[in-house]
Short mmCIF file of all heavy atoms in Angstrom, two decimals:
data_model
loop_
_atom_site.label_atom_id
_atom_site.label_comp_id
_atom_site.label_asym_id
_atom_site.label_seq_id
_atom_site.Cartn_x
_atom_site.Cartn_y
_atom_site.Cartn_z
N LEU A 356 68.18 -41.64 -11.52
CA LEU A 356 66.93 -42.00 -10.86
C LEU A 356 66.78 -43.52 -10.95
O LEU A 356 67.27 -44.14 -11.89
CB LEU A 356 65.74 -41.30 -11.52
CG LEU A 356 65.81 -39.76 -11.57
CD1 LEU A 356 64.75 -39.22 -12.50
CD2 LEU A 356 65.66 -39.18 -10.18
N GLU A 357 66.07 -44.11 -10.00
CA GLU A 357 66.01 -45.57 -9.96
C GLU A 357 64.58 -46.06 -9.81
O GLU A 357 63.77 -45.50 -9.07
CB GLU A 357 66.85 -46.12 -8.80
CG GLU A 357 66.94 -47.64 -8.80
CD GLU A 357 67.84 -48.19 -7.71
OE1 GLU A 357 68.22 -47.40 -6.81
OE2 GLU A 357 68.16 -49.38 -7.75
N LEU A 358 64.27 -47.13 -10.54
CA LEU A 358 63.01 -47.87 -10.41
C LEU A 358 63.31 -49.22 -9.78
O LEU A 358 64.24 -49.90 -10.21
CB LEU A 358 62.36 -48.06 -11.78
CG LEU A 358 61.87 -46.80 -12.50
CD1 LEU A 358 61.56 -47.11 -13.95
CD2 LEU A 358 60.65 -46.24 -11.81
N THR A 359 62.55 -49.61 -8.79
CA THR A 359 62.80 -50.89 -8.12
C THR A 359 61.57 -51.80 -8.08
O THR A 359 61.69 -52.97 -7.73
CB THR A 359 63.28 -50.67 -6.67
OG1 THR A 359 62.26 -50.00 -5.93
CG2 THR A 359 64.56 -49.84 -6.64
N VAL A 360 60.41 -51.28 -8.41
CA VAL A 360 59.17 -52.05 -8.26
C VAL A 360 58.83 -52.76 -9.57
O VAL A 360 58.63 -52.13 -10.60
CB VAL A 360 58.00 -51.15 -7.83
CG1 VAL A 360 56.70 -51.95 -7.74
CG2 VAL A 360 58.30 -50.50 -6.49
N ASN A 361 58.77 -54.08 -9.53
CA ASN A 361 58.43 -54.89 -10.71
C ASN A 361 56.92 -54.80 -10.95
O ASN A 361 56.13 -55.14 -10.09
CB ASN A 361 58.85 -56.34 -10.48
CG ASN A 361 58.65 -57.21 -11.71
OD1 ASN A 361 57.61 -57.19 -12.35
ND2 ASN A 361 59.67 -57.98 -12.05
N CYS A 362 56.53 -54.34 -12.15
CA CYS A 362 55.10 -54.23 -12.46
C CYS A 362 54.74 -55.01 -13.72
O CYS A 362 53.69 -54.79 -14.31
CB CYS A 362 54.71 -52.76 -12.61
SG CYS A 362 55.63 -51.87 -13.88
N ARG A 363 55.61 -55.92 -14.15
CA ARG A 363 55.32 -56.75 -15.33
C ARG A 363 54.97 -58.18 -14.95
O ARG A 363 53.99 -58.74 -15.44
CB ARG A 363 56.51 -56.78 -16.27
CG ARG A 363 56.29 -57.78 -17.45
CD ARG A 363 57.59 -58.11 -18.17
NE ARG A 363 58.11 -56.94 -18.84
CZ ARG A 363 59.40 -56.70 -19.03
NH1 ARG A 363 60.31 -57.54 -18.55
NH2 ARG A 363 59.80 -55.62 -19.66
N ASN A 364 55.78 -58.79 -14.09
CA ASN A 364 55.70 -60.22 -13.86
C ASN A 364 54.82 -60.57 -12.66
O ASN A 364 54.69 -59.80 -11.71
CB ASN A 364 57.10 -60.80 -13.60
CG ASN A 364 58.13 -60.32 -14.60
OD1 ASN A 364 59.09 -59.66 -14.23
ND2 ASN A 364 57.94 -60.64 -15.86
N THR A 365 54.24 -61.78 -12.71
CA THR A 365 53.59 -62.29 -11.51
C THR A 365 54.65 -62.55 -10.44
O THR A 365 55.84 -62.63 -10.74
CB THR A 365 52.84 -63.60 -11.81
OG1 THR A 365 53.78 -64.56 -12.31
CG2 THR A 365 51.72 -63.40 -12.81
N GLY A 366 54.20 -62.70 -9.21
CA GLY A 366 55.13 -62.88 -8.10
C GLY A 366 56.12 -64.02 -8.28
O GLY A 366 57.33 -63.84 -8.09
N PRO A 367 55.65 -65.22 -8.65
CA PRO A 367 56.59 -66.34 -8.80
C PRO A 367 57.66 -66.09 -9.86
O PRO A 367 58.83 -66.47 -9.67
CB PRO A 367 55.67 -67.51 -9.20
CG PRO A 367 54.35 -67.17 -8.60
CD PRO A 367 54.24 -65.68 -8.74
N ILE A 368 57.31 -65.44 -10.97
CA ILE A 368 58.30 -65.13 -12.00
C ILE A 368 59.26 -64.06 -11.51
O ILE A 368 60.48 -64.16 -11.69
CB ILE A 368 57.62 -64.70 -13.31
CG1 ILE A 368 56.80 -65.86 -13.88
CG2 ILE A 368 58.65 -64.22 -14.33
CD1 ILE A 368 55.95 -65.48 -15.08
N ALA A 369 58.73 -63.02 -10.89
CA ALA A 369 59.58 -61.93 -10.39
C ALA A 369 60.62 -62.44 -9.42
O ALA A 369 61.78 -62.00 -9.43
CB ALA A 369 58.71 -60.86 -9.72
N ARG A 370 60.24 -63.39 -8.57
CA ARG A 370 61.20 -63.94 -7.60
C ARG A 370 62.30 -64.73 -8.30
O ARG A 370 63.47 -64.68 -7.89
CB ARG A 370 60.46 -64.79 -6.57
CG ARG A 370 59.69 -63.95 -5.55
CD ARG A 370 59.10 -64.81 -4.45
NE ARG A 370 57.88 -65.49 -4.89
CZ ARG A 370 56.66 -64.94 -4.85
NH1 ARG A 370 56.51 -63.70 -4.40
NH2 ARG A 370 55.60 -65.60 -5.25
N ARG A 371 61.95 -65.49 -9.35
CA ARG A 371 62.96 -66.22 -10.11
C ARG A 371 63.94 -65.26 -10.80
O ARG A 371 65.16 -65.49 -10.81
CB ARG A 371 62.30 -67.11 -11.16
CG ARG A 371 61.55 -68.30 -10.60
CD ARG A 371 62.50 -69.30 -9.96
NE ARG A 371 61.80 -70.48 -9.48
CZ ARG A 371 62.35 -71.43 -8.74
NH1 ARG A 371 63.63 -71.32 -8.39
NH2 ARG A 371 61.66 -72.47 -8.34
N VAL A 372 63.42 -64.19 -11.37
CA VAL A 372 64.27 -63.21 -12.05
C VAL A 372 65.21 -62.55 -11.05
O VAL A 372 66.42 -62.42 -11.29
CB VAL A 372 63.40 -62.15 -12.76
CG1 VAL A 372 64.28 -61.03 -13.33
CG2 VAL A 372 62.58 -62.79 -13.88
N ALA A 373 64.68 -62.13 -9.90
CA ALA A 373 65.48 -61.43 -8.90
C ALA A 373 66.58 -62.31 -8.33
O ALA A 373 67.66 -61.82 -7.97
CB ALA A 373 64.58 -60.91 -7.79
N SER A 374 66.33 -63.62 -8.24
CA SER A 374 67.30 -64.51 -7.61
C SER A 374 68.58 -64.67 -8.43
O SER A 374 69.64 -65.00 -7.88
CB SER A 374 66.68 -65.89 -7.37
OG SER A 374 66.44 -66.56 -8.60
N ILE A 375 68.53 -64.41 -9.73
CA ILE A 375 69.70 -64.62 -10.59
C ILE A 375 70.86 -63.73 -10.14
O ILE A 375 72.01 -64.17 -10.07
CB ILE A 375 69.35 -64.36 -12.07
CG1 ILE A 375 68.34 -65.41 -12.57
CG2 ILE A 375 70.61 -64.39 -12.94
CD1 ILE A 375 67.86 -65.16 -13.98
N PHE A 376 70.55 -62.47 -9.83
CA PHE A 376 71.60 -61.55 -9.38
C PHE A 376 71.39 -61.13 -7.93
O PHE A 376 71.98 -60.15 -7.47
CB PHE A 376 71.63 -60.31 -10.28
CG PHE A 376 72.12 -60.57 -11.67
CD1 PHE A 376 71.23 -60.65 -12.73
CD2 PHE A 376 73.46 -60.77 -11.92
CE1 PHE A 376 71.67 -60.90 -14.03
CE2 PHE A 376 73.92 -61.02 -13.21
CZ PHE A 376 73.03 -61.09 -14.27
N ASP A 377 70.55 -61.86 -7.23
CA ASP A 377 70.28 -61.58 -5.82
C ASP A 377 69.81 -60.14 -5.63
O ASP A 377 70.25 -59.43 -4.74
CB ASP A 377 71.53 -61.85 -4.97
CG ASP A 377 71.22 -61.93 -3.47
OD1 ASP A 377 70.07 -62.27 -3.14
OD2 ASP A 377 72.11 -61.67 -2.66
N ASP A 378 68.87 -59.72 -6.49
CA ASP A 378 68.35 -58.36 -6.44
C ASP A 378 67.28 -58.21 -5.37
O ASP A 378 66.59 -59.17 -5.01
CB ASP A 378 67.75 -57.96 -7.79
CG ASP A 378 68.81 -57.73 -8.85
OD1 ASP A 378 69.95 -57.44 -8.48
OD2 ASP A 378 68.47 -57.85 -10.04
N ARG A 379 67.12 -56.97 -4.91
CA ARG A 379 66.02 -56.65 -4.00
C ARG A 379 64.71 -56.72 -4.78
O ARG A 379 64.65 -56.35 -5.95
CB ARG A 379 66.21 -55.22 -3.45
CG ARG A 379 65.20 -54.83 -2.40
CD ARG A 379 65.52 -53.44 -1.85
NE ARG A 379 64.91 -52.38 -2.64
CZ ARG A 379 65.52 -51.27 -3.00
NH1 ARG A 379 66.78 -51.07 -2.68
NH2 ARG A 379 64.89 -50.35 -3.71
N LEU A 380 63.67 -57.18 -4.14
CA LEU A 380 62.37 -57.34 -4.79
C LEU A 380 61.35 -56.49 -4.06
O LEU A 380 61.07 -56.72 -2.88
CB LEU A 380 61.97 -58.82 -4.78
CG LEU A 380 60.81 -59.23 -5.70
CD1 LEU A 380 61.15 -58.95 -7.16
CD2 LEU A 380 60.49 -60.70 -5.51
N ASP A 381 60.78 -55.49 -4.75
CA ASP A 381 59.81 -54.59 -4.13
C ASP A 381 58.47 -54.74 -4.82
O ASP A 381 58.38 -55.12 -5.98
CB ASP A 381 60.26 -53.13 -4.26
CG ASP A 381 61.53 -52.86 -3.46
OD1 ASP A 381 61.77 -53.59 -2.49
OD2 ASP A 381 62.26 -51.91 -3.81
N GLY A 382 57.41 -54.37 -4.11
CA GLY A 382 56.09 -54.29 -4.72
C GLY A 382 55.17 -55.43 -4.31
O GLY A 382 55.57 -56.44 -3.75
N LYS A 383 53.88 -55.21 -4.61
CA LYS A 383 52.87 -56.24 -4.41
C LYS A 383 52.61 -56.91 -5.75
O LYS A 383 52.45 -56.24 -6.77
CB LYS A 383 51.58 -55.61 -3.88
CG LYS A 383 51.74 -54.97 -2.50
CD LYS A 383 50.43 -54.36 -2.04
CE LYS A 383 50.59 -53.74 -0.65
NZ LYS A 383 49.33 -53.10 -0.18
N PHE A 384 52.55 -58.24 -5.74
CA PHE A 384 52.50 -58.96 -7.00
C PHE A 384 51.19 -59.70 -7.20
O PHE A 384 50.55 -60.14 -6.24
CB PHE A 384 53.66 -59.97 -7.07
CG PHE A 384 55.01 -59.33 -7.06
CD1 PHE A 384 55.74 -59.21 -5.90
CD2 PHE A 384 55.53 -58.81 -8.23
CE1 PHE A 384 56.98 -58.61 -5.89
CE2 PHE A 384 56.77 -58.20 -8.24
CZ PHE A 384 57.50 -58.10 -7.07
#
Side-chain angles (χ1 to χ4, degrees):
L356 302 168
E357 186 176 12
L358 294 167
T359 62
V360 177
N361 186 312
C362 58
R363 173 195 294 148
N364 313 118
T365 59
I368 295 173
R370 285 187 282 275
R371 290 293 183 189
V372 173
S374 68
I375 294 175
F376 291 103
D377 195 26
D378 288 336
R379 185 176 88 224
L380 194 61
D381 294 335
K383 296 180 179 179
F384 296 97

